[in-house]
Amino acid sequence: MSKAAKAKSSAAIRSTADFARYVGLARTTVSRVLNGQPGLKQKTIDQVQRALSETGFTPNAHALHLKGKRTSMVGICVEDLLTPPAVRKLAALQKLLRERGLSSLIEVFAPGAGREVVRHFLSMRVEAVVFIGHFHREEIEARIAELIAHGTPHLVIDHFGLKNAHTVSLDRAKAMEDVVNHLLDFGHRTFGLMGIARAPSSRFDRMTGIHAALKARGLDFDTCTVSLDHLHERRNDFEYGRRLAGSFAQQAHRPTALLALNDEIAVGALRGLHELGLRVPRDFSVAGFNNQDVAAMTSPTLTTVEQNIATTIATAAELLLGQLDAPMKARPMIKLIAPELIVRESTGPARVD
Amino acid sequence: MSKAAKAKSSAAIRSTADFARYVGLARTTVSRVLNGQPGLKQKTIDQVQRALSETGFTPNAHALHLKGKRTSMVGICVEDLLTPPAVRKLAALQKLLRERGLSSLIEVFAPGAGREVVRHFLSMRVEAVVFIGHFHREEIEARIAELIAHGTPHLVIDHFGLKNAHTVSLDRAKAMEDVVNHLLDFGHRTFGLMGIARAPSSRFDRMTGIHAALKARGLDFDTCTVSLDHLHERRNDFEYGRRLAGSFAQQAHRPTALLALNDEIAVGALRGLHELGLRVPRDFSVAGFNNQDVAAMTSPTLTTVEQNIATTIATAAELLLGQLDAPMKARPMIKLIAPELIVRESTGPARVD
DNA sequence: GCTTGACGAGGACACGTGTCCTCCAAACGT
DNA sequence: ACGTTTGGAGGACACGTGTCCTCGTCAAGC
């Protein structure tokens, strides 16, 4: 066969049969080489290896899985690819899974399309499904019920308090408790909530922490906190924080501290206050959440909460791999990851009006 | 069959045969319902539909693909999941593909593991492979050659100038030309390059733009530009920019303008200069790249370049889908996307020493 | 009661793979 | 020259699916 003919035929190789024809051996012989079975002459093995690197032939994964080989795929359903912490978790998880020979099927959980996403995962016969982020409660609970009925392991990262769900989550209640205590120590007694209050049930745990911290000092939640989330379209980004901070600044009885849902909103607040000629932390203390890199670069630098994503994902991977080996436990496993308060320049003694 | 027995057997449904047994019909009949073939009583159809929603059964995608159905999968190989613009492109592309019924297999291109990634894609019989970001030139060119030989369409987003590669990329040369011209108009004649110079060939196009702008005004590249990238470990993040800015500030003949590879480095530079008591743009002008949200939130706000990611990805999707329909063109298609200079507060008249 | 039509049952095949088995040819040992 | 060993050829099957085909059954129409 001429070199040109070889090159031409290499494009048409779609199966081991084609490939065997190309090599000039029987299909079964080639298959035995590919799967490292004994009892083959070295010369034959070399011959196949050479053809392999010449053509770049790869056995059809679908046929392999059909034949009984495990798919080694995990479905990962992420809330959003534009939320930095979610993406960092996704990246870390995919890396850990890959190191263990598992590839990942990644989908964004569009609201209402959760059913379709999970069905796609199941049709691909993934070995487990992971959810990263916060979701519509009823929808995700329905999906998890489906997975349990189907016998496919699952794991939820972040969304806390879902019925029957194996969960790994940052202890957001503890985190907010730490933040509020830190500010209470500085003499703050009125708190503006930015993006936390009107939120779906997923933010419930943060509120719990705020409640707990205030109650421990004998303070009343309703008189100590203010939310103006309703004044602007909810966006959870810098611009939202900037506008919201403006609204807080214009209040008659304005709070002395602002608690933001995330660092974007907090940094936006810093900007908004700066534009109004207000100074942080002299006029307002501002606390963020997530310890994004940008939090150390603002002026003033931002007090925030470190999530310890590496720990979260390592725990998640451990739990997940455990489920792949052993039969799934009936009782949902729930692991809380400890947060870490990072104190920087944006928080200080409360303003005295 | 009792309800309990049904529930029990539903867990064991792994094939249409199992499912048909569950419904109490022949496998072929169920298959005809699932594929919408005519000539079936409405009662039968309802019966199957009901069982379908009861059990959540999904046909095995691997068997379908084996049978000849297209996989409807696209392999997306992304440089990194921690680089915000790359992730934004990934998110946008996945969304567009999904709207057209294509799902995506996402992998991170670990250096040296590119071969494995592409082989995985090919074993999954993806319909096309997309690369997003900048890669090791020789490695990715080898992968693209493999894909071409294999007859699988490909597309490169961002990495410009690869041999035989279909490419969609921001016109980075034009972008840098705009930035440099903007600064030249302000009287700047010495430019500090942050993260741009020592970079792999992928940054070549930026250098081209800087060269062009200087040459057009009769200026010499080597006397007008300084790079201190070698002083710090290359990281492309805020902290790297902060340190690098410190090094520029300590120079005897320090430049009047700093050109950063991305907004992270630029914002880090703003921070670094702020810490040294220097003011922007009075002491230094700083220009970023990518127009990340944070660029509008710093003090001063950052002059930068908008990538028009939506346009890039729409163009990419169009090119890709065209390749899926028609046979691949031999001549590589190359599309350049126009950048947009966003002028904010961080650039101004050159300092006079 | 007979024909006709409608509808479902069930067998067969192909898709690409790994594996088992049988069979054949060549190489080897005596 | 003969028997034995070695290594490859090639047939068969299973996996889950869609599709085609044949065959049975049941009901309606004459």
Side-chain angles (χ1 to χ4, degrees), chain B residues 5-19:
Chain B
K6 265 199 175 183
K8 191 185 170 190
S9 65
S10 98
I13 295 181
R14 301 246 95 102
S15 66
T16 35
D18 294 342
F19 181 63

Side-chain angles (χ1 to χ4, degrees), chain B residues 5 23 35 46 67 79 134 136 146 173 201 207 222 280 334:
Chain B
V23 185
N35 293 281
D46 293 344
K67 195 63 182 46
E79 167 190 12
H134 294 101
H136 178 60
E146 276 180 15
S201 60
M207 295 298 276
D222 289 329
V280 174
I334 295 178

Side-chain angles (χ1 to χ4, degrees), chain A residues 80-96:
Chain A
D80 189 347
L81 279 176
L82 303 177
T83 307
V87 175
R88 283 167 60 198
K89 284 165 202 158
L90 170 64
L93 181 61
Q94 196 194 26
K95 183 151 178 284
L96 281 187

Side-chain angles (χ1 to χ4, degrees), chain A residues 294-305:
Chain A
V294 68
M297 292 296 140
T298 50
S299 307
T301 54
L302 188 66
T303 294
T304 184
V305 174

